[in-house]
Amino acid sequence: MRSRKVHAGMLVPGVTAVLMCACGAAQAGPLSFSEEAVARGINFSVGFNYFQYGAGMMMSDLDNDGDLDIVVSGGSTGRFGVYENDGTGHFTDRSFTAGLFYMSMSSGIAAADYDNDGDIDIFISGWYTNSRLYRNNGDFTFTDMAVSAGIVDPDQPNMSACWGDVNQDGHLDLYVSIRTGNNAYQGSNHLYMNNGDGTFTDQAIALNVDAEGDPTLVSAFFDFDRDGDDDLYLGTDKGSGGFWKNRLYQNTGGSFTEVTTQTSAEAYVDCMGIAVGDLDFDGFYDMYLTNIQHGNKLLMYDPIGGEYIDQTAAADVASHEVGWGTLFADFDNDTFLDLYVCNIEGPLPGSDGANRLYRGAPVADWPMIDEAVSAGVGETDDVYCAAHGDVDGDGDLDLMIARVGGKISLYINNSQDASSNNWVRFNVVGNQGSLNQFGIGTCVDIVHDGIPQVRQVRAGTHYKTTSEHFVHFGLGDSDTVDALQVIYPGNTIRNLSNAPANQTWTLWPENRLGDPNGNGRVDYDELRTAILSRTGPGNPITPGLEIFDMDGDFDLDNDDLALMGLGTRTPNSKRFNPGN
């Protein structure tokens, strides 16, 4: 295995920044959510879905209007709920016109732009029924392309799925987890490699990521070693018996090597959920893994030793329920990631199946405290799946869950700290032209007041669910992001600075700067638009002008105009590149 080192472009000030976070933490107010699904137009009942261990859902911008739409599956009812956001977090029911037809038993939902036409498509795995690959038609309708795409799996216990660009060719690949052994089924997981023509070829066995017959429930693409490509982590069921284990595969140029043992990532648990996030501000991703009542696991990555260290006891997040979906999110915008855990009631004494919401805190101040009940999200009905995103555009993250045999719950975030603390959100545009336009696999590293944070744009992010593809950072008291790096797959880097807080910014790649019409050059009309929009040095731009910010300092001045002028007769690829 390669030695572990911080990528040269990563903004990681180191231990000093982490200690600053710990010492500077303010007294937190309570987390608070209100359940508003029906009031906001989402009146959807979830059917019985214990057979397939929950049915998925998603929050994603399906019509490219800048807000989050919602898709939920009904489990055994076969129905799907499809809801269009009006921009305020209120929804119009499109279920009967969207084209997502009855499915006898839906399982997971993973959303991404597989055909590179600029809108989000939807993969729905089937539990012993054909999976669906719904192509977005661009008008809030969808067409199932699974069969013609080469995804035909009618007799398989398909679980969750995730998207990533394994070989960095700009075409997103699809990993599907299979619960091998269910009803004696002996097939293995799939890695459907995107051929770039609307079809896929299963390469799981050829690339040695089929998990060799393990009963896989959940998978996650993320860049664990921060070398610019997506690695793959698999959550294995029935590992608590000591035979099966979770697996970590390191991506090297589009091929995989299993590094589970070397990185201490094996985790002998009945793994039903994987949450990924950087809890200790070191620039590397940690993992939280759900389990049966023996206890969940928090594995923190040590970049110096190149291995994961179990910090469950220190954080006191074992939960000791039967855990399923889980996610990290900074619900109060204080910079510290909070942890939500879905549970169902277990057989051991004392289990009530209550969901958890562990409040994020500096490592020095651990244990983390479960505030689910007081926050209004301590659901005691059986819950398998959860997703998060800012559905109402107010700068804090909301939460959606699906309870078995009950209605979808949409918890709107009313936490006082979430509104009083600062935040910033980024919509990443990919750097490969018409390929991977949503920048899946891109890492965004920021520093504000000496505090480093990192997020990655991912698709199929949680157990059977997709959360928003925007990257969201809580900033606490900071009103500016001092330094920002966008690290695209393959380690192409764009450096920016002085991003104002409390805005959603679009991060354009350097090869699109100054070129809104995307014709590969800066035209005189584009230069004229920039001149008329000029804010001047030190005066922040407003959202919508980011594409003219040639030097990445979030103002539009003569320096930017000069750089644009260099491109009026020269294709972008040859003009001065301000990020180098």
Side-chain angles (χ1 to χ4, degrees):
M1 188 179 69
R2 293 171 294 176
S3 61
R4 295 288 178 259
K5 59 182 180 180
V6 176
H7 186 280
M10 287 173 56
L11 300 172
V12 183
V15 176
T16 300
V18 180
L19 293 176
M20 287 174 60
C21 293
C23 297
Q27 185 67 36
L31 291 170
S32 177
F33 295 81
S34 57
E35 202 292 300
E36 301 182 20
V38 173
R40 290 176 176 265
I42 301 176
N43 188 0
F44 187 86
S45 295
V46 177
F48 182 93
N49 54 52
Y50 290 106
F51 289 129
Q52 70 269 49
Y53 310 102
M57 55 191 181
M58 59 177 279
M59 290 182 173
S60 192
D61 184 3
L62 295 174
D63 49 4
N64 286 335
D65 63 352
D67 54 42
L68 296 177
D69 309 300
I70 286 175
V71 177
V72 293
S73 56
S76 60
T77 70
R79 288 186 54 228
F80 291 95
V82 184
Y83 299 93
E84 181 180 4
N85 195 329
D86 69 357
T88 69
H90 293 81
F91 296 86
T92 300
D93 191 342
R94 304 295 188 200
S95 305
F96 298 102
T97 58
L100 271 64
F101 297 112
Y102 177 93
M103 188 173 181
S104 59
M105 263 193 204
S106 57
S107 192
I109 298 181
D113 182 12
Y114 85 91
D115 55 358
N116 287 324
D117 65 349
D119 50 33
I120 297 293
D121 311 299
I122 306 171
F123 175 77
I124 305 174
S125 57
W127 184 256
Y128 293 105
T129 188
N130 279 329
S131 295
R132 308 275 178 85
L133 179 60
Y134 282 107
R135 183 187 64 197
N136 191 330
N137 299 322
D139 57 0
F140 228 91
T141 67
F142 301 82
T143 302
D144 182 16
M145 306 298 293
V147 173
S148 62
I151 299 175
V152 183
D153 51 10
D155 300 312
Q156 299 174 6
N158 298 302
M159 297 295 290
S160 59
C162 58
W163 295 90
D165 188 1
V166 168
N167 54 7
Q168 297 187 0
D169 64 352
H171 302 284
L172 294 180
D173 311 303
L174 176 67
Y175 194 89
V176 182
S177 303
I178 305 294
R179 195 178 188 276
T180 303
N182 191 85
N183 292 337
Y185 179 80
Q186 295 304 311
S188 58
N189 299 344
H190 302 291
L191 174 55
Y192 292 108
M193 297 294 293
N194 193 328
N195 298 319
D197 59 0
T199 68
F200 296 81
T201 302
D202 187 1
Q203 295 289 322
I205 295 175
L207 292 175
N208 193 35
V209 291
D210 61 315
E212 303 173 10
D214 289 359
T216 309
L217 294 190
V218 60
S219 55
F221 279 121
F222 70 100
D223 189 4
F224 94 92
D225 52 4
R226 297 304 310 274
D227 67 346
D229 54 28
D230 265 333
D231 310 295
L232 177 65
Y233 191 71
L234 303 183
T236 306
D237 196 12
K238 304 305 180 188
S240 59
F243 177 72
W244 285 301
K245 64 181 183 297
N246 288 5
R247 294 175 181 262
L248 177 61
Y249 297 94
Q250 187 177 47
N251 187 343
T252 309
S255 62
F256 289 93
T257 302
E258 184 173 355
V259 294
T260 306
T261 302
Q262 300 95 309
T263 58
S264 301
E266 54 270 15
Y268 289 94
V269 294
D270 290 18
C271 188
M272 286 86 83
I274 303 170
V276 175
D278 180 12
L279 271 67
D280 54 0
F281 303 92
D282 68 353
F284 288 83
Y285 299 107
D286 311 305
M287 294 188 293
Y288 183 79
L289 314 171
T290 56
N291 189 18
I292 56 175
Q293 284 177 266
H294 299 320
N296 302 343
K297 297 289 184 184
L298 174 62
L299 300 185
M300 306 279 287
Y301 188 71
D302 171 20
I304 298 174
E307 63 180 352
Y308 287 93
I309 298 173
D310 190 340
Q311 295 289 351
T312 312
D316 194 19
V317 291
S319 181
H320 295 293
E321 295 287 347
V322 179
W324 288 88
T326 183
L327 55 86
F328 286 121
D330 187 359
F331 288 115
D332 53 4
N333 287 331
D334 68 348
T335 76
F336 302 105
L337 289 175
D338 309 303
L339 172 63
Y340 194 74
V341 187
C342 300
N343 292 315
I344 67 171
E345 187 173 350
L348 299 181
S351 173
D352 60 6
N355 290 0
R356 314 290 196 203
L357 176 54
Y358 294 103
R359 187 73 170 270
V363 172
D365 291 346
W366 282 1
M368 298 168 70
I369 306 300
D370 178 16
E371 298 186 11
V373 173
S374 61
V377 294
E379 179 63 57
T380 57
D381 289 339
D382 289 350
V383 176
Y384 285 98
C385 299
H388 73 274
D390 183 7
V391 299
D392 51 2
D394 64 351
D396 56 37
L397 294 174
D398 309 300
L399 177 70
M400 181 170 64
I401 67 167
R403 63 173 59 83
V404 176
K407 288 185 180 296
I408 291 290
S409 289
L410 179 62
Y411 292 109
I412 299 300
N413 191 344
N414 303 311
S415 305
Q416 182 177 352
D417 285 355
S419 57
S420 61
N421 286 328
N422 294 315
W423 53 272
V424 69
R425 292 164 59 79
F426 297 111
N427 178 27
V428 177
V429 178
N431 68 335
Q432 295 175 277
S434 63
L435 306 180
N436 193 10
Q437 295 177 52
F438 292 90
I440 303 302
T442 302
C443 290
V444 179
D445 290 31
I446 71 171
V447 172
H448 55 97
D449 290 339
I451 301 171
Q453 296 193 64
V454 59
R455 303 283 191 270
Q456 185 172 11
V457 184
R458 299 170 58 219
T461 40
H462 310 301
Y463 175 73
K464 294 193 174 184
T465 65
T466 294
S467 291
E468 64 175 13
H469 69 268
F470 298 90
V471 289
H472 179 106
F473 295 90
L475 301 178
D477 293 334
S478 303
D479 59 8
T480 303
V481 174
D482 303 307
L484 164 68
Q485 283 188 339
V486 188
I487 307 172
Y488 298 97
N491 283 330
T492 299
I493 297 172
R494 185 183 179 203
N495 293 296
L496 302 96
S497 61
N498 301 317
N502 304 320
Q503 297 284 358
T504 298
W505 300 105
T506 297
L507 298 178
W508 292 95
E510 288 171 349
N511 58 19
R512 281 295 309 279
L513 293 177
D515 185 21
N517 66 14
N519 68 351
R521 58 182 294 147
V522 177
D523 300 328
Y524 287 111
D525 285 343
E526 291 167 330
L527 181 59
R528 180 175 182 273
T529 299
I531 292 171
L532 295 176
S533 304
R534 181 170 37 183
T535 63
N539 294 312
I541 58 175
T542 56
L545 297 178
E546 301 95 324
I547 201 166
F548 297 125
D549 181 19
M550 307 294 291
D551 55 7
D553 60 358
F554 284 85
D555 63 20
L556 179 52
D557 57 17
N558 289 337
D559 292 338
D560 301 296
L561 299 178
L563 292 171
M564 283 188 68
L566 291 174
T568 55
R569 294 183 178 85
T570 307
N572 284 7
S573 60
K574 294 182 180 179
R575 77 165 178 253
F576 173 72
N577 190 336
N580 288 343

